[in-house]
mmCIF file of all heavy atoms in Angstrom:
data_model
loop_
_atom_site.group_PDB
_atom_site.id
_atom_site.type_symbol
_atom_site.label_atom_id
_atom_site.label_comp_id
_atom_site.label_asym_id
_atom_site.label_seq_id
_atom_site.Cartn_x
_atom_site.Cartn_y
_atom_site.Cartn_z
ATOM 1 N N PHE A 190 -71.743 30.251 -149.349
ATOM 2 C CA PHE A 190 -71.973 31.666 -149.023
ATOM 3 C C PHE A 190 -73.422 31.836 -148.570
ATOM 4 O O PHE A 190 -74.275 30.990 -148.802
ATOM 5 C CB PHE A 190 -71.664 32.557 -150.228
ATOM 6 C CG PHE A 190 -72.639 32.440 -151.343
ATOM 7 C CD1 PHE A 190 -73.694 33.357 -151.496
ATOM 8 C CD2 PHE A 190 -72.557 31.401 -152.267
ATOM 9 C CE1 PHE A 190 -74.605 33.215 -152.547
ATOM 10 C CE2 PHE A 190 -73.456 31.286 -153.304
ATOM 11 C CZ PHE A 190 -74.481 32.187 -153.455
ATOM 12 N N MET A 191 -73.693 32.981 -147.989
ATOM 13 C CA MET A 191 -75.020 33.348 -147.488
ATOM 14 C C MET A 191 -75.256 34.827 -147.788
ATOM 15 O O MET A 191 -74.300 35.598 -147.863
ATOM 16 C CB MET A 191 -75.118 33.080 -145.990
ATOM 17 C CG MET A 191 -75.057 31.591 -145.626
ATOM 18 S SD MET A 191 -74.950 31.373 -143.844
ATOM 19 C CE MET A 191 -73.281 31.914 -143.528
ATOM 20 N N TYR A 192 -76.493 35.168 -147.898
ATOM 21 C CA TYR A 192 -76.864 36.568 -148.133
ATOM 22 C C TYR A 192 -78.118 36.834 -147.311
ATOM 23 O O TYR A 192 -78.839 35.910 -146.926
ATOM 24 C CB TYR A 192 -77.102 36.852 -149.627
ATOM 25 C CG TYR A 192 -78.106 35.977 -150.294
ATOM 26 C CD1 TYR A 192 -79.482 36.316 -150.313
ATOM 27 C CD2 TYR A 192 -77.702 34.783 -150.922
ATOM 28 C CE1 TYR A 192 -80.399 35.476 -150.939
ATOM 29 C CE2 TYR A 192 -78.614 33.971 -151.542
ATOM 30 C CZ TYR A 192 -79.957 34.317 -151.556
ATOM 31 O OH TYR A 192 -80.874 33.492 -152.165
ATOM 32 N N PRO A 193 -78.484 38.078 -147.122
ATOM 33 C CA PRO A 193 -79.662 38.401 -146.304
ATOM 34 C C PRO A 193 -80.953 37.828 -146.909
ATOM 35 O O PRO A 193 -81.121 37.805 -148.140
ATOM 36 C CB PRO A 193 -79.678 39.934 -146.288
ATOM 37 C CG PRO A 193 -78.269 40.322 -146.562
ATOM 38 C CD PRO A 193 -77.724 39.275 -147.479
ATOM 39 N N SER A 194 -81.796 37.380 -146.027
ATOM 40 C CA SER A 194 -83.026 36.711 -146.482
ATOM 41 C C SER A 194 -83.999 37.669 -147.160
ATOM 42 O O SER A 194 -84.867 37.251 -147.938
ATOM 43 C CB SER A 194 -83.723 36.031 -145.292
ATOM 44 O OG SER A 194 -84.027 37.009 -144.292
ATOM 45 N N GLY A 195 -83.860 38.908 -146.970
ATOM 46 C CA GLY A 195 -84.775 39.879 -147.574
ATOM 47 C C GLY A 195 -84.426 40.225 -149.007
ATOM 48 O O GLY A 195 -85.185 40.940 -149.668
ATOM 49 N N ILE A 196 -83.315 39.731 -149.453
ATOM 50 C CA ILE A 196 -82.894 40.054 -150.814
ATOM 51 C C ILE A 196 -83.396 38.963 -151.728
ATOM 52 O O ILE A 196 -83.212 37.779 -151.464
ATOM 53 C CB ILE A 196 -81.366 40.179 -150.906
ATOM 54 C CG1 ILE A 196 -80.875 41.331 -150.023
ATOM 55 C CG2 ILE A 196 -80.933 40.386 -152.361
ATOM 56 C CD1 ILE A 196 -79.368 41.470 -150.003
ATOM 57 N N ARG A 197 -83.951 39.475 -152.880
ATOM 58 C CA ARG A 197 -84.407 38.546 -153.875
ATOM 59 C C ARG A 197 -83.467 38.666 -155.063
ATOM 60 O O ARG A 197 -83.252 39.762 -155.600
ATOM 61 C CB ARG A 197 -85.831 38.860 -154.324
ATOM 62 C CG ARG A 197 -86.882 38.648 -153.238
ATOM 63 C CD ARG A 197 -87.012 37.118 -152.951
ATOM 64 N NE ARG A 197 -88.006 36.864 -151.929
ATOM 65 C CZ ARG A 197 -87.734 36.644 -150.686
ATOM 66 N NH1 ARG A 197 -86.462 36.677 -150.269
ATOM 67 N NH2 ARG A 197 -88.722 36.398 -149.819
ATOM 68 N N PRO A 198 -82.861 37.539 -155.444
ATOM 69 C CA PRO A 198 -81.915 37.612 -156.579
ATOM 70 C C PRO A 198 -82.595 38.151 -157.817
ATOM 71 O O PRO A 198 -83.729 37.800 -158.127
ATOM 72 C CB PRO A 198 -81.488 36.158 -156.772
ATOM 73 C CG PRO A 198 -81.737 35.507 -155.459
ATOM 74 C CD PRO A 198 -82.965 36.179 -154.880
ATOM 75 N N TYR A 199 -81.905 39.056 -158.493
ATOM 76 C CA TYR A 199 -82.431 39.676 -159.705
ATOM 77 C C TYR A 199 -81.695 39.078 -160.870
ATOM 78 O O TYR A 199 -80.467 39.166 -160.961
ATOM 79 C CB TYR A 199 -82.245 41.193 -159.636
ATOM 80 C CG TYR A 199 -82.698 41.932 -160.849
ATOM 81 C CD1 TYR A 199 -84.081 42.058 -161.103
ATOM 82 C CD2 TYR A 199 -81.788 42.487 -161.760
ATOM 83 C CE1 TYR A 199 -84.512 42.753 -162.232
ATOM 84 C CE2 TYR A 199 -82.220 43.179 -162.877
ATOM 85 C CZ TYR A 199 -83.570 43.316 -163.104
ATOM 86 O OH TYR A 199 -84.017 44.006 -164.227
ATOM 87 N N ARG A 200 -82.427 38.427 -161.761
ATOM 88 C CA ARG A 200 -81.852 37.754 -162.909
ATOM 89 C C ARG A 200 -80.876 36.667 -162.485
ATOM 90 O O ARG A 200 -79.854 36.438 -163.111
ATOM 91 C CB ARG A 200 -81.168 38.715 -163.846
ATOM 92 C CG ARG A 200 -82.109 39.734 -164.486
ATOM 93 C CD ARG A 200 -81.309 40.630 -165.414
ATOM 94 N NE ARG A 200 -82.168 41.623 -166.008
ATOM 95 C CZ ARG A 200 -81.755 42.573 -166.846
ATOM 96 N NH1 ARG A 200 -80.450 42.602 -167.198
ATOM 97 N NH2 ARG A 200 -82.613 43.457 -167.327
ATOM 98 N N GLY A 201 -81.146 36.008 -161.456
ATOM 99 C CA GLY A 201 -80.351 34.875 -161.028
ATOM 100 C C GLY A 201 -79.203 35.299 -160.107
ATOM 101 O O GLY A 201 -79.022 36.462 -159.763
ATOM 102 N N ILE A 202 -78.433 34.262 -159.704
ATOM 103 C CA ILE A 202 -77.293 34.500 -158.814
ATOM 104 C C ILE A 202 -76.024 34.212 -159.595
ATOM 105 O O ILE A 202 -75.872 33.144 -160.210
ATOM 106 C CB ILE A 202 -77.372 33.603 -157.568
ATOM 107 C CG1 ILE A 202 -78.671 33.886 -156.773
ATOM 108 C CG2 ILE A 202 -76.152 33.827 -156.692
ATOM 109 C CD1 ILE A 202 -78.886 32.957 -155.594
ATOM 110 N N HIS A 203 -75.127 35.145 -159.580
ATOM 111 C CA HIS A 203 -73.838 34.999 -160.268
ATOM 112 C C HIS A 203 -72.702 35.125 -159.240
ATOM 113 O O HIS A 203 -72.862 35.689 -158.169
ATOM 114 C CB HIS A 203 -73.686 36.053 -161.362
ATOM 115 C CG HIS A 203 -74.738 35.939 -162.427
ATOM 116 N ND1 HIS A 203 -74.667 35.045 -163.473
ATOM 117 C CD2 HIS A 203 -75.946 36.615 -162.586
ATOM 118 C CE1 HIS A 203 -75.724 35.163 -164.240
ATOM 119 N NE2 HIS A 203 -76.540 36.111 -163.710
ATOM 120 N N GLY A 204 -71.578 34.600 -159.650
ATOM 121 C CA GLY A 204 -70.414 34.656 -158.741
ATOM 122 C C GLY A 204 -69.109 34.894 -159.500
ATOM 123 O O GLY A 204 -68.963 34.540 -160.674
ATOM 124 N N ILE A 205 -68.192 35.494 -158.789
ATOM 125 C CA ILE A 205 -66.874 35.776 -159.363
ATOM 126 C C ILE A 205 -65.807 35.392 -158.331
ATOM 127 O O ILE A 205 -65.925 35.729 -157.148
ATOM 128 C CB ILE A 205 -66.718 37.268 -159.737
ATOM 129 C CG1 ILE A 205 -67.815 37.703 -160.721
ATOM 130 C CG2 ILE A 205 -65.334 37.541 -160.338
ATOM 131 C CD1 ILE A 205 -67.814 39.195 -160.995
ATOM 132 N N TRP A 206 -64.752 34.698 -158.806
ATOM 133 C CA TRP A 206 -63.589 34.416 -157.956
ATOM 134 C C TRP A 206 -62.425 35.323 -158.388
ATOM 135 O O TRP A 206 -62.055 35.378 -159.562
ATOM 136 C CB TRP A 206 -63.162 32.953 -158.101
ATOM 137 C CG TRP A 206 -64.014 31.972 -157.321
ATOM 138 C CD1 TRP A 206 -65.091 31.319 -157.762
ATOM 139 C CD2 TRP A 206 -63.792 31.602 -155.974
ATOM 140 N NE1 TRP A 206 -65.615 30.503 -156.799
ATOM 141 C CE2 TRP A 206 -64.815 30.669 -155.654
ATOM 142 C CE3 TRP A 206 -62.888 31.935 -154.965
ATOM 143 C CZ2 TRP A 206 -64.955 30.073 -154.386
ATOM 144 C CZ3 TRP A 206 -63.025 31.338 -153.710
ATOM 145 C CH2 TRP A 206 -64.022 30.429 -153.419
ATOM 146 N N TYR A 207 -61.923 36.013 -157.376
ATOM 147 C CA TYR A 207 -60.773 36.881 -157.602
ATOM 148 C C TYR A 207 -59.514 36.258 -156.989
ATOM 149 O O TYR A 207 -59.593 35.506 -156.011
ATOM 150 C CB TYR A 207 -60.987 38.268 -156.985
ATOM 151 C CG TYR A 207 -62.042 39.093 -157.656
ATOM 152 C CD1 TYR A 207 -63.191 39.467 -156.951
ATOM 153 C CD2 TYR A 207 -61.875 39.528 -158.962
ATOM 154 C CE1 TYR A 207 -64.163 40.248 -157.553
ATOM 155 C CE2 TYR A 207 -62.856 40.311 -159.567
ATOM 156 C CZ TYR A 207 -63.970 40.660 -158.851
ATOM 157 O OH TYR A 207 -64.958 41.431 -159.440
ATOM 158 N N PHE A 208 -58.368 36.691 -157.518
ATOM 159 C CA PHE A 208 -57.076 36.231 -156.964
ATOM 160 C C PHE A 208 -56.307 37.445 -156.432
ATOM 161 O O PHE A 208 -56.087 38.426 -157.157
ATOM 162 C CB PHE A 208 -56.233 35.531 -158.046
ATOM 163 C CG PHE A 208 -54.848 35.131 -157.578
ATOM 164 C CD1 PHE A 208 -54.681 34.014 -156.775
ATOM 165 C CD2 PHE A 208 -53.717 35.885 -157.926
ATOM 166 C CE1 PHE A 208 -53.434 33.639 -156.358
ATOM 167 C CE2 PHE A 208 -52.463 35.511 -157.498
ATOM 168 C CZ PHE A 208 -52.289 34.390 -156.693
ATOM 169 N N GLY A 209 -55.941 37.342 -155.198
ATOM 170 C CA GLY A 209 -55.066 38.337 -154.588
ATOM 171 C C GLY A 209 -55.747 39.499 -153.957
ATOM 172 O O GLY A 209 -55.303 39.988 -152.907
ATOM 173 N N GLN A 210 -56.848 40.068 -154.560
ATOM 174 C CA GLN A 210 -57.513 41.248 -154.024
ATOM 175 C C GLN A 210 -59.029 41.016 -154.026
ATOM 176 O O GLN A 210 -59.580 40.439 -154.960
ATOM 177 C CB GLN A 210 -57.194 42.472 -154.880
ATOM 178 C CG GLN A 210 -55.750 42.936 -154.855
ATOM 179 C CD GLN A 210 -55.386 43.579 -153.512
ATOM 180 O OE1 GLN A 210 -56.293 43.974 -152.747
ATOM 181 N NE2 GLN A 210 -54.106 43.660 -153.226
ATOM 182 N N PRO A 211 -59.739 41.514 -153.009
ATOM 183 C CA PRO A 211 -61.195 41.340 -152.974
ATOM 184 C C PRO A 211 -61.965 42.486 -153.619
ATOM 185 O O PRO A 211 -63.185 42.409 -153.736
ATOM 186 C CB PRO A 211 -61.490 41.263 -151.482
ATOM 187 C CG PRO A 211 -60.444 42.130 -150.866
ATOM 188 C CD PRO A 211 -59.216 42.023 -151.719
ATOM 189 N N TYR A 212 -61.292 43.571 -154.028
ATOM 190 C CA TYR A 212 -61.990 44.765 -154.465
ATOM 191 C C TYR A 212 -61.872 44.907 -155.973
ATOM 192 O O TYR A 212 -60.776 45.020 -156.512
ATOM 193 C CB TYR A 212 -61.434 45.997 -153.766
ATOM 194 C CG TYR A 212 -61.416 45.840 -152.256
ATOM 195 C CD1 TYR A 212 -60.206 45.697 -151.583
ATOM 196 C CD2 TYR A 212 -62.625 45.837 -151.546
ATOM 197 C CE1 TYR A 212 -60.200 45.552 -150.212
ATOM 198 C CE2 TYR A 212 -62.612 45.678 -150.177
ATOM 199 C CZ TYR A 212 -61.405 45.543 -149.500
ATOM 200 O OH TYR A 212 -61.410 45.383 -148.160
ATOM 201 N N PRO A 213 -63.025 44.933 -156.682
ATOM 202 C CA PRO A 213 -63.000 45.000 -158.153
ATOM 203 C C PRO A 213 -62.346 46.267 -158.676
ATOM 204 O O PRO A 213 -61.717 46.256 -159.734
ATOM 205 C CB PRO A 213 -64.480 44.948 -158.537
ATOM 206 C CG PRO A 213 -65.144 44.303 -157.375
ATOM 207 C CD PRO A 213 -64.377 44.746 -156.148
ATOM 208 N N GLN A 214 -62.510 47.359 -157.918
ATOM 209 C CA GLN A 214 -61.934 48.599 -158.389
ATOM 210 C C GLN A 214 -60.426 48.571 -158.492
ATOM 211 O O GLN A 214 -59.811 49.418 -159.141
ATOM 212 C CB GLN A 214 -62.389 49.780 -157.513
ATOM 213 C CG GLN A 214 -61.991 49.687 -156.054
ATOM 214 C CD GLN A 214 -63.047 48.980 -155.194
ATOM 215 O OE1 GLN A 214 -63.788 48.133 -155.740
ATOM 216 N NE2 GLN A 214 -63.118 49.327 -153.933
ATOM 217 N N LEU A 215 -59.814 47.555 -157.843
ATOM 218 C CA LEU A 215 -58.358 47.399 -157.931
ATOM 219 C C LEU A 215 -57.970 46.453 -159.062
ATOM 220 O O LEU A 215 -56.790 46.168 -159.255
ATOM 221 C CB LEU A 215 -57.809 46.882 -156.599
ATOM 222 C CG LEU A 215 -58.011 47.818 -155.394
ATOM 223 C CD1 LEU A 215 -57.451 47.161 -154.141
ATOM 224 C CD2 LEU A 215 -57.366 49.172 -155.627
ATOM 225 N N PHE A 216 -58.990 45.972 -159.759
ATOM 226 C CA PHE A 216 -58.796 45.110 -160.915
ATOM 227 C C PHE A 216 -57.923 43.890 -160.605
ATOM 228 O O PHE A 216 -56.885 43.664 -161.228
ATOM 229 C CB PHE A 216 -58.186 45.888 -162.093
ATOM 230 C CG PHE A 216 -58.981 47.101 -162.482
ATOM 231 C CD1 PHE A 216 -58.561 48.370 -162.108
ATOM 232 C CD2 PHE A 216 -60.161 46.954 -163.207
ATOM 233 C CE1 PHE A 216 -59.314 49.485 -162.481
ATOM 234 C CE2 PHE A 216 -60.906 48.084 -163.571
ATOM 235 C CZ PHE A 216 -60.477 49.354 -163.200
ATOM 236 N N PRO A 217 -58.341 43.102 -159.637
ATOM 237 C CA PRO A 217 -57.591 41.868 -159.379
ATOM 238 C C PRO A 217 -57.829 40.864 -160.502
ATOM 239 O O PRO A 217 -58.839 40.936 -161.224
ATOM 240 C CB PRO A 217 -58.181 41.382 -158.063
ATOM 241 C CG PRO A 217 -59.573 41.918 -158.055
ATOM 242 C CD PRO A 217 -59.528 43.244 -158.769
ATOM 243 N N PRO A 218 -56.894 39.890 -160.669
ATOM 244 C CA PRO A 218 -57.086 38.865 -161.701
ATOM 245 C C PRO A 218 -58.373 38.074 -161.435
ATOM 246 O O PRO A 218 -58.645 37.696 -160.296
ATOM 247 C CB PRO A 218 -55.835 37.989 -161.585
ATOM 248 C CG PRO A 218 -54.826 38.839 -160.908
ATOM 249 C CD PRO A 218 -55.594 39.743 -159.985
ATOM 250 N N VAL A 219 -59.117 37.827 -162.517
ATOM 251 C CA VAL A 219 -60.345 37.052 -162.391
ATOM 252 C C VAL A 219 -59.996 35.593 -162.612
ATOM 253 O O VAL A 219 -59.423 35.219 -163.638
ATOM 254 C CB VAL A 219 -61.400 37.519 -163.417
ATOM 255 C CG1 VAL A 219 -62.648 36.634 -163.347
ATOM 256 C CG2 VAL A 219 -61.771 38.984 -163.181
ATOM 257 N N VAL A 220 -60.365 34.771 -161.630
ATOM 258 C CA VAL A 220 -60.091 33.338 -161.710
ATOM 259 C C VAL A 220 -61.268 32.627 -162.420
ATOM 260 O O VAL A 220 -61.035 31.769 -163.288
ATOM 261 C CB VAL A 220 -59.854 32.761 -160.306
ATOM 262 C CG1 VAL A 220 -59.666 31.256 -160.354
ATOM 263 C CG2 VAL A 220 -58.688 33.462 -159.636
#
Side-chain angles (χ1 to χ4, degrees):
F190 70 97
M191 293 172 288
Y192 55 89
S194 58
I196 297 177
R197 293 291 180 261
Y199 178 72
R200 296 181 181 179
I202 300 175
H203 299 278
I205 303 173
W206 281 92
Y207 291 116
F208 175 77
Q210 293 288 342
Y212 307 110
Q214 61 270 28
L215 297 179
F216 305 103
V219 176
V220 176

